[in-house]
Amino acid sequence: MNVGDTPSGRVIILNCVRSHNPKEQYQRDNTGQSQYITASLTQEEQEEFEKKLRELKETHETPENFYSFMIMKSNFDKKYIKDLAHNMLENFDCSSKEARLFAFLVLLNTYLAGSEISLSLCQDFLGMKMVEWKLDSIMGRMEPYSNFLIVDTVEDLGRYKGIRILHHSIASACLEELEKSYFLKVSEITMEILHCDLFFSVGVVKHRFMGSIHQMLIERQRKKGGDEREQFSSLIGKIHKDHGRQTVQDIFVKASSRFVTSASIPQALARYLCIMESDFPEALQWAEKAKNIKQNPYTFDTIGQIHKSNLKSNNFREKQETSRNQEDLKTNIQIAENAIAAFKRAQELANEEDEPEREAADDVSEDYPRKSYNVCGYVRVLDVALLVFEILSRLPFFEESDPMKKKYLQSFLKKTISITIVYKEDNEINNRYVEIIKEHQQFLQSLKTEVKEIFEFLFFYFTNIKKITSESDFRAKVSVLFKKYVTLFCTTSNERKEEQEHNPRLNLEINIEERRWFLEENYADTFAGILQHLDKPAIEIEKITECYGFLLQQQFINQKKKTKETINYIMSNIVLYLLKSKSKHVESHSSLSALLLQTLQEVGLRYPSPDPYYLALLLLWPRPGQEDTEIGTYVRAIRKSKRMTLSFRIRNTIAILYLGKGEGLKRLVSKRQLDENFKEMRRDTLAELWRNGDIFRKKAIIKRLQRVSGTTEQGELFANYGKGKIPVRPALIGAIRSGSSTEKVSFYLGFAINGPLAYDIQYEN
């Protein structure tokens, strides 16, 4: 629950979340503004229900038929509900249309609580004539089950009457009773619904029922105690447990013939065949069918996932085998190529969508959390590429356990040698491996560069974008994959030392390479990786800064590499100053500014990443009273850089550093430094202060940060320095008033990777 002030009073915003374990989640996540509610009565509430029952007995002959009331009065006692279902379904006649319709309603309300079938559709199913269409007539036809039924008015594309089971727990108990006493299986009821032509003909009310059936088949529930979803819908999970593959496949095949325009049904079957049965060829056929119905990130992702699972399965099997089949290598490389192509296409489509979170539930919510596909295509490409590296490392001439052979593999993947130069025994097995690698050499030698670029992008993304729960698994996955990458490509210190002893004239080259591998191994060969060291020990960034200082003293043949390492050197100096200002490796503000200005002249205003322009905000931001002419240019350059893609336009970036009251590098303040003022505060409480912006009203923050004057014009926000106006974005949505008038404001300033952010915006009037 969030509470906030408005000009007209206080507003209370309620945000309700369902949970299987509300008390435990409350104790774990409580921020002081939450409360949990469980489906159980207190002693006082039970006494009130007893009192109410006595009152009902005075006015009604059979108050025990008020089942919803009685369920609550029994404190949701499962035995009471089970006995209720058993007594009501005594002598259940499975052959009658009324019993079949009741079974449909029971199934629907068990797996989709609160759903209904329209009254008119029920009447059509029962064969009732139009002259008999009265509210009480269908309830009469449904005796004795009508005591469990209720008719509601449904507001959807007009108004109509719908019929449903009174309570979800009654529906569940009835379904269990039908299975136990009448051997009526859930799968049989599902198949009978899918078999009935009446339910799938044209009509508004039928369309809603079709939607409910579709949802039962594909909607996946969250697992207990977390945000991860089950692998399949609850209905499919039940059918798989009870009957296995054939029955599940029969239901999906029939559903596919009913929902011919839905990609989700064949997609769900493809996932089922892949995950539960490891039948990759048939899974791929259904995934391709889903893609042919609708090409979106999720249908392509499913194709990629099937190929990836197939590759993992092959890799696991081959590691257990003592004999080797050379053709397995060809098969695995082809599978990897197909997987990576599918994941790349999925990522392209995700990047092309303006607002993927607005996609219909039919395409998104059943298989993927909303907003989750911004980066997972990149992560899955990494996964496949590392699998390929592992497969190659088992070849006789690339074996990772042999340092020299590992060196050959590294050199081959770095494109420094061809496969023909790699030393190997001349035999039939090796010759066939070489033939296969030659066929796919372009693909294989592109992987290392591509993997490195993806890691760099992901470090950039995870550093600068607010964390969301649905991406926590991706972050952990990237960390694991990066460790594998380092193990393969970063030569050990002992290997480097041995190489130096044998090649004394190569000492300088080895020293340069050694430092570059150190930077890569420590997430410090990227701008985002250096920023992450704001939350790490100072000794690490000190070594990183020393490495960059050494590298910048060398001769550069590659201007692109020189520019990147200069930018990283400036950023590492800033981070080192914030962690250890007296370090001998810290350059002065004037020296760093001069180096940056030189770099900005070299790169112009079209550098592909925002890194140099972000540095301009940090080092060149105007002082109070200073006229500004350049910073606005760099803010616009940030927004135009290629890396500021769709992924960042639809997400909230975070401020890495804030504008303080000092001079030079002292003007920069990190979040870690600000948090040190609140060491005694609980972490979740502090996090909530940052989320709602109340942190900027604390004395410690006010004392440390510089308040900036600005204006709002036509709904846009600017920081003003003399006649200069610098565009700034509000950190919180709705922080500035709508309207066309120009108003004076002040705010604190944070520096995000996509430009300056304004916090705690205050109007002068």
Side-chain angles (χ1 to χ4, degrees), residues 5-18:
D5 290 315
T6 68
S8 58
R10 284 178 81 78
V11 175
I12 298 177
I13 302 173
L14 293 177
N15 180 27
C16 300
V17 179
R18 284 200 311 177

Side-chain angles (χ1 to χ4, degrees), residues 507-548:
N507 274 350
L508 178 60
E509 287 79 1
I510 292 173
N511 283 334
I512 292 172
E513 195 65 19
E514 185 177 55
R515 283 166 170 80
R516 289 199 170 122
W517 282 125
F518 171 82
L519 293 171
E520 185 167 5
E521 189 175 3
N522 288 275
Y523 300 87
D525 65 330
T526 68
F527 193 81
I530 293 169
L531 282 170
Q532 289 181 7
H533 281 269
L534 282 165
D535 295 319
K536 296 179 181 180
I539 190 172
E540 294 183 21
I541 194 65
E542 192 165 32
K543 175 65 174 173
I544 289 163
T545 307
E546 184 274 329
C547 283
Y548 276 118

Side-chain angles (χ1 to χ4, degrees), residues 351 374-375 378 449-465 525-529 531 560 564 567-568 606-613 637-650 653 753-754:
N351 291 344
N374 279 357
V375 297
Y378 297 120
T449 301
E450 191 164 4
V451 163
K452 184 69 179 72
E453 290 174 352
I454 291 176
F455 275 128
E456 184 170 345
F457 170 80
L458 291 173
F459 292 150
F460 176 85
Y461 180 88
F462 292 140
T463 300
N464 294 290
I465 302 302
D525 65 330
T526 68
F527 193 81
L531 282 170
K560 183 178 179 182
K564 179 181 177 181
I567 291 169
N568 288 351
R606 296 186 179 275
Y607 195 69
S609 83
D611 306 346
Y613 313 123
I638 281 178
R639 295 176 180 178
K640 291 179 181 178
S641 64
K642 290 182 181 179
R643 183 152 283 179
M644 293 290 98
T645 60
L646 169 70
S647 298
F648 300 96
R649 290 202 298 273
I650 65 172
T653 50
I753 197 65
N754 61 345

